[in-house]
Amino acid sequence: MSGLRVPSYTSVPVDGGELAVAVWGDLSDGAPVLAVHGITASSMAWIETATRLPGPVVAPDLRGRGGSGTLGGPYGMASHARDCVAVLDALGIERARVAGHSMGGFVAAVLAHRYPERVARLVLVDGGAPLPAPPGGPETVLGPAARRLRMRFPSREAYRDHWRAHPAFADWTPAAEAYIDYDLAGADGGFRSRVSEDAMAADFVDLHSGAAPHKAYEALPHGTPFLRAERGLLDETPPLYPDPSALAELDVTTVAGTNHYSILFADAGTKAVAAALS
């Protein structure tokens, strides 16, 4: 991970157990950023952004992901938002700049709606605005990212190869590799993702049809920054949000040359995210 800031991890008590939380930097050194990851991701989705930001960054592994992979429900955007408040409380953070990517955008919006006093600035990264209900389930929409949850891999390198074949990860970076490696559990001959399929399934339904994310979006302040990837989850067009005019109440920036994943790993994307949070 040459050149990347390596986080420390702490545990925060939440309903039902403990949440793993990545911390980059000294929490007393400037206004902290709370970074919330996507539906099958983890705190390490933010490693490149955290490296670009001068101050502290806090990123929880949401329930059923990463170091919180064995923590069960309740899932859903409101539950994750409550867990984020517990993280802020445990770390002594009164207010944070909050960024949410993909599903994390929906969590961040609910956090800002229900606990506005804890959010100094909100930045949505290709997520948080309503999406049409898809005809299929998570595997139809998320493709290899969802299918991997039922797969077993003989080695760490085999898991990396699975991701290298993903069209959105054609530009392989040290940050992407760190993110992929962190997701693994097990040992040689039995590696698997640390993401809970139950968590993914429950959250997929809630972000598309739940009342909490819908109300949170309706309450977003005019001009909330929204960074839109130019291409979709499989590096395809149209992107996840094909029509910027549908986000007219938001301050939309389309980040050229990025897809739904590379907006957190590629140079153009992470520069845009860091600038929006500054």
Side-chain angles (χ1 to χ4, degrees):
M1 292 192 291
S2 177
L4 295 173
R5 293 173 75 192
V6 178
S8 60
Y9 275 84
T10 188
S11 295
V12 169
V14 292
D15 289 346
E18 294 186 330
L19 209 66
V21 181
V23 179
W24 286 268
D26 185 342
L27 292 176
S28 65
D29 185 17
V33 169
L34 174 70
V36 191
H37 66 72
I39 193 167
T40 69
S42 72
S43 55
M44 288 294 279
W46 296 98
I47 187 170
E48 185 69 59
T49 302
T51 297
R52 290 186 180 275
L53 290 168
V57 178
V58 173
D61 285 335
L62 299 179
R63 291 172 180 267
R65 287 89 171 171
S68 311
T70 60
L71 180 61
Y75 304 115
M77 306 306 106
S79 178
H80 295 311
R82 284 194 301 273
D83 287 345
C84 286
V85 171
V87 169
L88 296 177
D89 288 345
L91 298 182
I93 299 171
E94 294 273 339
R95 300 179 79 216
R97 294 170 288 158
V98 179
H101 171 248
S102 192
M103 184 193 80
F106 294 87
V107 176
V110 172
L111 175 65
H113 182 217
R114 296 193 172 193
Y115 311 95
E117 72 281 1
R118 310 306 296 268
V119 179
R121 178 172 176 79
L122 175 65
V123 175
L124 303 177
V125 184
D126 219 38
L131 292 165
E139 289 194 21
T140 302
V141 177
L142 302 174
R147 287 195 293 273
R148 82 186 197 276
L149 306 191
R150 298 181 180 178
M151 300 171 67
R152 296 296 179 267
F153 300 87
S155 66
R156 186 175 299 276
E157 195 61 31
Y159 192 55
R160 291 173 179 169
D161 287 343
H162 172 81
W163 279 102
R164 286 190 183 102
H166 193 298
F169 283 81
D171 294 326
W172 194 256
T173 67
E177 186 165 295
Y179 164 70
I180 299 310
D181 285 353
Y182 181 72
D183 184 52
L184 277 185
D188 286 348
F191 282 114
R192 60 175 178 80
S193 169
R194 294 204 279 178
V195 176
S196 159
E197 191 170 6
D198 288 343
M200 176 190 68
D203 287 338
F204 187 83
V205 172
D206 189 59
L207 75 85
H208 283 100
S209 58
H214 177 75
K215 290 178 180 177
Y217 177 75
E218 292 294 321
L220 285 176
H222 181 81
T224 296
F226 187 99
L227 301 180
R228 173 180 172 266
E230 189 176 47
R231 299 190 297 277
L233 286 92
L234 299 176
D235 200 43
E236 80 282 18
T237 55
L240 189 63
Y241 291 93
D243 182 8
S245 67
L247 308 171
E249 298 301 311
L250 307 181
D251 181 9
V252 180
T253 300
T254 299
V255 186
T258 63
N259 61 51
H260 183 70
Y261 288 97
S262 68
I263 200 167
L264 290 188
F265 295 111
D267 189 60
T270 52
K271 279 183 178 177
V273 175
L277 286 165
S278 297

